[in-house]
Amino acid sequence: MTPPDTENARFGRVMLKISGEALMGDQGYGLHPPTVERIAQEVKSVHDMGVEICMVIGGGNIFRGLQGSAQGMERTTADYMGMLATVMNALAMQSALERIGAYCRVITAIRMDEVAEPYIRRRAVRHLEKKRICIFAAGTGNPYFTTDTAATLRANEMACEAILKGTKVDGVYDKDPVRHADARRFERVTYDEVLAQHLGVMDASAIALARDNNLPIIVFSLDEPGGFRSILSGAGTYTTVHA
């Protein structure tokens, strides 16, 4: 087996944030096992470089609290249901990673000891030091906070060097590139520009938390084969959100 080579990686420890929708492939709902497997392979390829990886996965492919609230459900209840959806996605990803030989732990902000570990910061750091992938689930454990905010919070707590946000497009654009052929991609953009121009990288709380702790956010396409590894190797197409 080729030994890990962190010298060739831009960062030693990163947070990968992906949406729940990324796991459903071409389906309109739920989990698409081949897509989960493909993303797991992408994650393992970076892990094999010696990079310590944290992950946060959204739950929108199963249930989105804000939409439930809009349909008349009490917001707090809807958000807790969304948190449970993120745990389901995390367990699916853990299973896929372990099938291909990557050690992994699911760590939840809501106690459910039979299926995952409770969040204890020092224990999570130790898992990373032992080269285990840590998937943080159930958001922050509080309603009204998104998984974007949870990813930024955990990234700071784990002393990650960057947040890598995998999306369907290869960076941040001034408008939707799917609907507008003249959309312009930014190479670099500041936190304040993201907030002022409503560029939709992450929600405002997450951007503010990243800005206050000078934590860069790299937005790239998770649909591009090898995209995650290429970013860590210093190549690929992406947008950096910075101070």
Side-chain angles (χ1 to χ4, degrees):
M1 184 176 68
T2 304
D5 188 3
T6 52
E7 293 181 1
N8 290 332
R10 293 176 61 189
F11 306 108
R13 180 181 294 174
V14 298
M15 166 64 74
L16 174 63
K17 169 62 171 70
I18 62 177
S19 67
E21 288 88 346
L23 304 184
M24 66 186 186
D26 294 331
Q27 303 174 156
Y29 177 83
L31 291 158
H32 183 238
T35 299
V36 177
E37 177 75 17
R38 178 184 64 79
I39 295 173
Q41 292 284 0
E42 294 272 346
V43 173
K44 186 176 185 298
S45 72
V46 171
H47 190 249
D48 288 344
M49 297 172 70
V51 178
E52 297 171 0
I53 301 175
C54 304
M55 291 183 70
V56 168
I57 307 172
N61 58 318
I62 299 172
F63 187 86
R64 186 179 293 277
L66 196 57
Q67 291 179 351
S69 177
Q71 294 173 9
M73 186 178 294
E74 193 268 326
R75 173 64 187 272
T76 301
T77 299
D79 279 355
Y80 279 121
M81 291 173 67
M83 292 178 212
L84 296 178
T86 71
V87 177
M88 296 172 68
N89 285 338
L91 292 173
M93 182 57 65
Q94 179 188 45
S95 177
L97 285 165
E98 291 183 340
R99 279 199 306 272
I100 57 177
Y103 293 105
C104 181
R105 295 290 186 274
V106 173
I107 302 170
T108 66
I110 299 173
R111 292 193 69 101
M112 46 186 78
D113 296 344
E114 288 76 12
V115 297
E117 294 184 11
Y119 176 68
I120 299 172
R121 189 188 68 84
R122 291 173 64 90
R123 181 185 292 177
V125 169
R126 187 64 178 141
H127 284 319
L128 292 171
E129 291 171 348
K130 291 183 176 181
K131 306 306 178 185
R132 296 166 181 159
I133 297 166
C134 289
I135 306 177
F136 297 99
T140 66
N142 302 288
Y144 296 94
F145 289 92
T146 67
T147 52
D148 281 344
T149 302
T152 310
L153 174 64
R154 297 292 183 240
N156 280 301
E157 290 179 301
M158 295 297 105
C160 292
E161 297 169 53
I163 298 173
L164 281 83
K165 182 164 185 184
T167 68
K168 292 186 177 296
V169 294
D170 57 357
V172 180
Y173 286 77
D174 59 350
K175 49 191 169 184
D176 187 349
V178 176
R179 293 187 293 178
H180 302 277
D182 62 341
R184 180 172 63 92
R185 185 178 63 82
F186 298 100
E187 292 286 341
R188 298 173 66 85
V189 63
T190 67
Y191 304 111
D192 289 338
E193 288 170 339
V194 169
L195 293 172
Q197 298 179 40
H198 304 286
L199 294 177
V201 176
M202 288 178 155
D203 66 76
S205 296
I207 295 295
L209 184 57
R211 179 192 61 194
D212 292 348
N213 292 277
N214 198 28
L215 181 65
I217 303 168
I218 297 174
V219 183
F220 71 103
S221 173
L222 196 64
D223 291 340
E224 180 70 26
F228 187 24
R229 185 182 176 95
S230 68
I231 299 299
L232 269 294
S233 300
T237 303
Y238 56 89
T239 298
T240 302
V241 183
H242 63 103

